[in-house]
Amino acid sequence: MLLNCASTTTAFESLAAAAGVPPHDVHTALTAIDWTDLEEHNDPERALPQLAAERLGRHLGGFSEVRYFHGTRTRDADSFRRHGLLPLGAALEGIWRELREIGADQLGDAEFETLRTEIEGNGGGDGGRLYRLKTPALQHHGPFAEYVREHFLHPQELSSHDYLRTPELVEDIAHAAEEMFDVDLLAAYTAATKPCIVAFDMPMDDDGPAIEATCWYLWAAARRELTRAACGGFDGQGVAVPPTAIRDVEIIDVPW
């Protein structure tokens, strides 16, 4: 059984299928819970799915798969269907190659070599520092994804990075290039790429965190809010998401 938070509709349908009740019953049970109900528990964040299940008189678990959402930019949306989602270590050479192609009218090959040498050495300012923080450490390699698709559309409300505007490592390299050569690689990259959300399905052994995030997503949405309690999702820990897991690559029209 698949848990899918592509929208509030699919999220309610997923929980309803798990509980064996109509989506309206899940909506009624969740939205009737208020903050005072949650504060009666030692851990209000974990109490929400428990309270919803109690009001339904049904179990909300039993999911074997979850649909995850990864926000990024791309020149070639079909590449995810060919190669899957790569972790940072496997994607690094491709990132540099793409920036060389996109920024060829701003920096020559020799300047790109100097840029990379400085960034991977001890230069490049704050962008270089952030690059050196991420690239050696497996904990930053991902690939990462969220349970909730909508989170990528409202990063400011969640105090998170805007991945549809620019991937973090591209931003780090571009900031270093601006400091060293006074060029705007970021603008060139943005012009050459499109924002997209990649959806993929993966099996899971413990559906508790995903159900908790789903309940908070729906509880907040009923109040026209977003909450960081619904954030979280997938960490590949340096292992790629295979092409067979990719379900959709959605080009997003972001009104910047």
Side-chain angles (χ1 to χ4, degrees):
M1 187 162 50
L2 176 70
L3 177 56
N4 180 4
C5 289
S7 66
T8 55
T9 299
T10 62
F12 274 123
E13 289 174 346
S14 295
L15 293 181
V21 298
H24 177 267
D25 289 4
V26 180
H27 181 277
T28 300
L30 263 176
T31 55
I33 299 167
D34 60 30
W35 190 249
T36 57
D37 297 322
L38 296 168
E39 286 183 320
E40 293 176 1
H41 294 257
N42 291 332
D43 190 345
E45 196 163 301
R46 294 197 170 184
L48 184 60
Q50 175 189 337
L51 286 174
E54 288 175 358
R55 295 190 180 213
L56 279 169
R58 300 295 183 95
H59 180 56
L60 288 177
F63 295 99
S64 58
E65 284 187 301
V66 63
R67 180 153 300 171
Y68 295 102
F69 302 92
H70 173 85
T72 188
R73 295 185 72 91
T74 185
R75 291 193 296 172
D76 178 11
D78 288 338
S79 66
F80 300 108
R81 300 188 186 279
R82 296 194 303 271
H83 307 297
L85 273 175
L86 301 179
L88 178 57
L92 189 59
E93 292 304 320
I95 292 171
W96 277 104
R97 182 172 59 252
E98 185 170 60
L99 284 175
R100 281 175 181 261
E101 294 169 1
I102 289 171
D105 61 339
Q106 298 187 56
L107 296 176
D109 286 344
E111 290 167 312
F112 264 108
E113 289 294 340
T114 299
L115 175 64
R116 185 166 185 177
T117 298
E118 285 294 308
I119 288 175
E120 294 183 349
N122 198 34
D126 195 50
R129 180 187 64 80
L130 290 171
Y131 178 102
R132 292 188 296 276
L133 177 70
K134 294 163 187 165
T135 50
L138 189 63
Q139 69 193 69
H140 296 296
H141 282 209
F144 300 103
E146 288 274 340
Y147 295 120
V148 177
R149 172 190 171 278
E150 187 178 350
H151 287 174
F152 292 104
L153 306 179
H154 305 281
Q156 291 184 339
E157 295 177 40
L158 293 164
S159 300
S160 63
H161 182 81
D162 190 348
Y163 292 97
L164 299 184
R165 185 178 290 274
T166 174
E168 286 184 278
L169 203 74
V170 170
E171 187 173 88
D172 297 338
I173 295 171
H175 285 166
E178 184 174 16
E179 176 164 316
M180 291 175 59
F181 296 104
D182 194 28
V183 295
D184 194 348
L185 278 184
L186 200 53
Y189 178 84
T190 300
T193 58
K194 295 180 179 180
C196 68
I197 295 176
V198 182
F200 61 95
D201 295 348
M202 293 292 280
M204 59 180 172
D205 297 322
D206 178 10
D207 62 3
I211 292 171
E212 184 178 304
T214 302
C215 287
W216 277 105
Y217 166 51
L218 295 173
W219 187 86
R223 290 156 176 78
R224 300 183 182 277
E225 298 172 357
L226 291 169
T227 173
R228 289 198 62 81
C231 291
F234 180 82
D235 179 357
Q237 300 182 358
V239 178
V241 173
T244 52
I246 305 298
R247 296 293 175 264
D248 187 35
V249 183
E250 177 188 7
I251 301 299
I252 304 296
D253 184 15
V254 182
W256 289 319

